[in-house]
Amino acid sequence: MEFEILSALGTVVLERRDDGALVPLGPIAEWFYDIYFDIRGRETLAPALLGPFLESFLLDAENWWTANQGRLYSGVWSERNVRDEERGMEAWAIHTGTRRLLVVRLLGEEHLERKAAIQIARDRGLAHENIAAKNRALEVRSREVERLNQMKSEFLASMSHELRTPLNAIMGFSSLLEEESAGPLNSDQKRYVQHVARAAQHLLDLINDVLDLSRIEAGRIELRRENFRLGDAVHEVISTLRQLAMVKSIALAAEETAHLLDADRIRVKQILYNLLSNAIKFTPAGGRVDLTVTAEDEILTVAVADTGIGIPFEEQAAIFEKFHQVETESPAAQQGTGLGLAIARRLVEQHGGRIWVESRPGHGSRFAFTLPCRVTGESVEELPPAAHATPSGNGRARVALVEDDPAHRLLFEAMLASYYHVKVYETAHQALNGVHLDPPDVILTDVSLKGTDGIDFLRQIRADRALAGIPVIALTAHAMGGDRDRFLAAGFDHYIAKPVPERSVLINAIEPLVRRPRPSHTRDRSHA
Amino acid sequence: MPEPIQKKVCMIGSYGVGKTSLVRRFVESIFDERYQTTIGVKIDRKRVVVDETELNLILWDLAGEDELAQIRDSHVRGASGFILVADGCRAATLERAVSLRQLLGKPVAGIPFVLAINKADRAADWEIPASSLEELARTGWRLLSTSAKTGDGVESLFETLARSMLTSMQDRAVDGI
């Protein structure tokens, strides 16, 4: 009776006889036949007819039955029935002391609930692992990007240094030849030298622009915001470009403006320079270039309008892209690097502004950009007007030049010899000995010297009480962002980036230093 | 035609590595993107012919190992071969497969097995370093890259194991075991 009840509940009970065969106790549920269809119509069942799982379980049960009473659990398993439906089951081998039974139960709702709970737990586990794996992959990629960026920076720094070094000789000697300091040139020679100087300047512009753009795109240019008067920046840029405009008989005018900015002064000047020099370049002789400034709701709009050749509408969006130049017959286009506007756009955007152009071919162009005008009505520290220093007249100052490149030695000596007593050294070691015997008023040293480099040389000068007060100027082709600060932080009194296009750059650096009072012990020694 | 030789084959590995998917691909040529966890054991069958010998493979797909489920010795006992499965995108599953091989110990000692590195369709996301696989191959492990999703390497996986089981059976017959 009890087996009929179990059967009615869907549980199958089989008794193991002494001969090893299994006999159903009570009717066998239909689901069991659906799975083990070979048993239908049989009165006794061989374990092999019950499928591999139960057959295997019965082998375990045989061992267990011989020594135990109670029940042995099979665990859950599933098989497919005749309709290819998956059915979950569990079984017990029971030893009552007198009877050995196999009880098989079809799993129902509770099994599905348990399965669902495990499924959720494992889904979560997989999701966690997936996120962790993605994070690991991102970390790897991030490290790789960082490594590539580092390689790129090192390459750019190296390229900059290697290109600036020969340019220093080309530009410097061109400048000396143009000055005719080594004797007069005939008109052809003058023209040739001017071409060399212009081509060298173009190459330097290109190097500077490429480096600038690379740094901007890599997010490596940090704006150094300060409060300054926009009008002062405009004035400085106009002063630089006035000569270029005069050569082409172009009227260059800028509206007076008293607006104050909280921005990176150097970068704002760079934007202004790029727009104004572009306008002059593409404006025919006799034209005009005007800079105007308007302010509205704390936003400044700076516009540079020209009467130049103009830009076709379809090219107006592209001109802010890298290396894009308007197709024109104008030789002016050949002078540009194709990077000036791309740099201007990125710098404006970095300041939180925007830049655009309005233009019609034959009717000129108007480039405009906006900048947030964060400071109004505050005072700005007045800067003394920039002045070109002139070499001190009485008692020529003594300059020690340390440079291992023969061409650069010759160049700098030639640039300085008319104004100073110049003593030239090829190595830091020679210079250390030399300056002890003949202390100079100022030392100009290359940084990348063979053997003891410029920084070590500086340390040794500073460590020597007799020499410590002598101003030392770094003269170097390391001219990437941060190099200037790095060398000044190392203790140099001034920093000059190569190429040095003309002697005034050296004189402007030397003069304030030789006029500066120095500690008495070094001064005494120098006049001993 | 002689009766096919019946061979019990266990699928072993961490949860979510694709053991059930490999069986379904092999038995039914089906792949389902949804992960359906296995509870306990799933039994499937597939007949294969290897070197003119017909084998009836009884595939014991054992629930993935984790804190919720552990492999019972009884499920592995009597197996003629087993397939260790690791997920190429989860390096920890290879470590688990290697440790499972050691943990199972006696019940699987000396029986043929193949290591399947599954999810070859996502090879770009694989975390398991090639060096780890080369190291295992050097110690004599048979390794195959598989994709239950595309079917790549699946037939070959079971065929390789079936052939090893046959060879092992013949060797044992020669040795009189």
Side-chain angles (χ1 to χ4, degrees), chain A residues 367-378:
Chain A
F367 284 84
F369 65 94
T370 60
L371 287 177
C373 174
R374 294 185 188 166
V375 182
T376 53
E378 290 177 16

Side-chain angles (χ1 to χ4, degrees), chain A residues 408-456:
Chain A
H408 292 187
R409 267 200 313 273
L410 181 63
L411 170 68
F412 294 135
E413 189 179 7
M415 282 179 161
L416 297 169
S418 315
Y419 302 95
Y420 304 104
H421 290 294
V422 184
K423 194 93 177 182
V424 181
Y425 303 100
E426 289 182 29
T427 64
H429 181 69
Q430 280 180 9
L432 277 169
N433 290 334
V435 295
H436 263 291
L437 296 171
D438 185 9
D441 295 303
V442 66
I443 299 171
L444 266 86
T445 181
D446 184 22
V447 172
S448 303
L449 292 168
K450 292 188 191 88
T452 305
D453 69 14
I455 291 177
D456 274 344

Side-chain angles (χ1 to χ4, degrees), chain A residues 18 31 43 53 85 201 241 327 359 427 480 507:
Chain A
D18 289 341
W31 64 263
E43 288 182 6
F53 187 89
E85 295 159 339
Q201 184 60 50
L241 289 168
E327 284 192 22
S359 182
T427 64
M480 297 288 284
I507 292 168

Side-chain angles (χ1 to χ4, degrees), chain A residues 51-53 56 60 73-80 86 114-115 118-119 121-123 125-126 129 133 136, chain B residues 15 28 35-45 58 60 64 66 68-69 72 74-75 77 90 127:
Chain A
F53 187 89
S56 167
D60 285 343
Y73 181 58
S74 70
V76 173
W77 86 99
S78 61
E79 293 191 55
R80 292 184 178 278
E86 194 178 305
R114 179 167 173 253
K115 183 174 174 175
I118 292 176
Q119 175 87 44
R122 287 180 173 172
D123 280 344
L126 285 173
E129 280 188 39
R136 283 195 296 276
Chain B
Y15 72 91
E28 302 173 70
Y35 167 59
Q36 289 293 314
T37 195
T38 304
I39 308 289
V41 182
K42 256 186 197 168
I43 307 281
D44 269 292
R45 297 167 175 80
I58 312 298
W60 287 54
D66 64 0
L68 301 169
R72 290 163 173 257
S74 59
H75 290 169
R77 196 179 306 128
R90 293 155 63 204
E127 264 194 355

Side-chain angles (χ1 to χ4, degrees), chain A residues 240-257:
Chain A
T240 314
L241 289 168
R242 196 165 299 285
Q243 177 71 18
L244 185 64
M246 276 171 61
V247 169
K248 289 182 73 177
S249 303
I250 289 170
L252 176 59
E255 209 171 64
E256 285 297 324
T257 169

Side-chain angles (χ1 to χ4, degrees), chain B residues 6 16 27 43 60 64 101 111 120 139:
Chain B
Q6 196 147 295
V27 175
I43 307 281
W60 287 54
R101 161 93 174 87
I111 67 169
T139 60

Side-chain angles (χ1 to χ4, degrees), chain A residues 125-142:
Chain A
L126 285 173
H128 281 301
E129 280 188 39
N130 200 17
I131 290 167
K134 281 186 176 155
N135 283 341
R136 283 195 296 276
L138 276 176
E139 272 171 32
V140 168
R141 276 178 209 157
S142 160

